[in-house]
Amino acid sequence: AVTAADKDHPLTEEDTRATLRALRAGADDYLTKPFHDEELVARARVHLRLRELQDELRDKSTLLETLNRTDGLTGLLNRRSLVEVLGAEFAKCTRYRAPLSLVMVDLDRFKKVNDTFGHPVGDAVLKTVARVIRAELRACDAAARFGGEEFALLLPQTDRAGAIVAAERCRTALEAARVPTSASAVSVTASFGVATWPHPQVARLDDLVSQADQALYRAKSEGRNRVVAL
């Protein structure tokens, strides 16, 4: 909005107060009458540019927030973001007595992929893993790159049996996925550790994470490329 006054009728104290009220209510500028068309256009352009700058700042702020919350390579949540989401979900589920499952995922012998084909291929494998996981999960689920070749899946409203089904679905899809290279296609497998609340040994959030880690360790020690649930 633009307020205006007539040059032939100078602003009175009441006019000044009215102008201040208008500016406080959201008016963006002040013009006196009669005004030049070029001045009006120039001022309008200034405000349009200010609006564009505000939009750019808003977009950059949104982008920075996204970058702070996601893993740059895979586009999944990063570890910090998952911990925040997991904390909120755990509090909600324990309050309303709804099941919650956490699945830890670790790629089998991933170092061999990097050593044999190089890190660019290793990065392509990680991107493929993220894509496959996202495709197999529900919209309400969350997936994160927990670190290196380790991933975490958060499954709200999912009991032990349902989590095993979801983990097995992801495991099978990963086993079937192929990443093309200049020489051949690369395939990987992954081990899955499932932990669920409620559980006799899960009283706190840390217990849930610990249970998932223990289950993952068992999956590795029992031969890899399998799902283990405690």
Side-chain angles (χ1 to χ4, degrees):
V2 179
T3 63
D6 194 323
K7 288 181 178 178
D8 294 332
H9 299 84
L11 286 174
T12 64
E13 185 176 344
E14 177 58 32
D15 292 332
T16 301
R17 286 197 292 268
T19 300
L20 289 174
R21 285 196 298 271
L23 290 171
R24 290 167 181 164
D28 298 313
D29 206 346
Y30 169 78
L31 286 175
T32 58
K33 295 180 183 178
F35 49 78
H36 296 289
D37 292 344
E38 292 181 0
E39 180 185 7
L40 176 61
V41 172
R43 287 176 180 267
R45 285 176 175 168
V46 167
H47 289 290
L48 286 173
R49 181 55 183 158
L50 287 174
R51 178 60 181 270
E52 291 174 356
L53 289 173
Q54 289 173 346
D55 290 342
E56 289 177 11
L57 288 173
R58 189 180 301 109
D59 292 343
K60 288 180 180 179
S61 177
T62 301
L63 176 60
L64 287 174
E65 177 63 21
T66 300
L67 293 175
N68 286 333
R69 290 183 55 80
T70 59
D71 173 62
L73 179 64
T74 64
L76 299 179
L77 293 177
N78 57 30
R79 181 171 184 152
R80 186 189 70 178
S81 295
L82 180 79
V83 170
E84 292 176 358
V85 174
L86 179 57
E89 286 294 336
F90 188 78
K92 184 191 305 181
C93 289
T94 52
R95 178 177 181 180
Y96 295 106
R97 309 302 295 177
L100 174 68
S101 291
L102 175 66
V103 183
M104 300 303 294
V105 186
D106 191 71
L107 301 186
D108 299 326
R109 300 185 175 90
F110 183 70
K111 184 177 183 300
K112 184 177 179 180
V113 173
N114 282 329
D115 292 344
T116 303
F117 300 99
H119 287 279
V121 172
D123 288 347
V125 168
L126 292 173
K127 291 179 182 178
T128 297
V129 170
R131 175 180 56 79
V132 170
I133 286 175
R134 277 196 298 261
E136 297 300 328
L137 295 183
R138 305 166 301 177
C140 65
D141 299 330
R145 185 181 179 195
F146 215 59
E149 66 271 23
E150 189 173 13
F151 298 81
L153 316 179
L154 178 60
L155 313 177
Q157 302 288 329
T158 306
D159 59 15
R160 183 178 183 275
I164 292 173
V165 170
E168 184 61 33
R169 189 169 59 243
C170 289
R171 188 199 67 78
T172 302
L174 287 176
E175 187 177 30
R178 297 292 183 270
V179 178
T181 70
S182 57
S184 60
V186 177
S187 62
V188 294
T189 61
S191 301
F192 293 73
V194 177
T196 301
W197 186 92
H199 187 281
Q201 297 182 24
V202 177
R204 303 175 304 156
L205 178 58
D206 290 346
D207 298 332
L208 184 68
V209 177
S210 177
Q211 285 281 97
D213 280 336
Q214 291 178 42
L216 176 60
Y217 178 80
R218 274 185 48 186
K220 288 287 190 181
S221 64
E222 292 177 7
R224 299 183 175 87
N225 190 26
R226 65 190 62 217
V227 175
V228 170
L230 298 184

